[in-house]
C-alpha cells in the first residue's frame, strides 16, 4: 500500500461532525467486510507521520479533514 492509496481509501470514511463543521474519520461508514483495509490504511498513515515522511497537518489536508 502506498500513501496515496491509503489516503484515497480513507477519504471514503470522512464524515462531517455535528460540532462546528469539523470532519473526522468514521470507520462505521464502511462495510464491515472491508473495515480491516481501512484500519490498515489508517495505521499506515499514522506510521508515515511518526517516521516524519509526512506532517500531521499535511495528512489532514490531504484527507480532507483540514480545509
Amino acid at each position: 500500500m502506498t500513501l496515496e492509496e491509503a489516503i484515497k481509501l480513507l477519504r471514503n470514511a470522512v464524515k462531517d461532525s455535528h460540532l462546528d463543521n469539523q470532519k473526522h474519520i468514521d470507520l462505521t461508514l464502511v462495510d464491515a467486510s472491508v473495515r480491516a483495509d481501512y484500519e490498515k490504511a489508517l495505521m499506515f498513515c499514522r506510521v508515515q507521520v511518526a517516521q516524519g515522511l509526512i506532517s500531521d497537518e499535511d495528512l489532514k489536508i490531504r484527507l480532507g479533514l483540514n480545509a
Side-chain angles (χ1 to χ4, degrees):
M1 175 178 292
T2 67
L3 181 60
E4 294 304 319
E5 292 170 334
I7 289 171
K8 184 177 178 182
L9 185 65
L10 289 171
R11 286 185 65 99
N12 296 321
V14 173
K15 177 181 176 184
D16 284 321
S17 175
H18 67 281
L19 299 173
D20 295 329
N21 218 9
Q22 294 177 359
K23 294 182 180 183
H24 64 280
I25 294 175
D26 186 351
L27 296 182
T28 64
L29 297 176
V30 299
D31 192 63
S33 64
V34 293
R35 190 166 298 144
D37 294 334
Y38 282 79
E39 291 171 346
K40 288 177 188 175
L42 187 56
M43 287 188 300
F44 180 83
C45 288
R46 295 310 305 161
V47 167
Q48 298 292 301
V49 170
Q51 292 178 345
L53 300 173
I54 187 172
S55 71
D56 191 50
E57 186 66 23
D58 189 31
L59 178 62
K60 287 178 182 178
I61 290 168
R62 292 174 68 183
L63 286 170
L65 299 175
N66 221 8

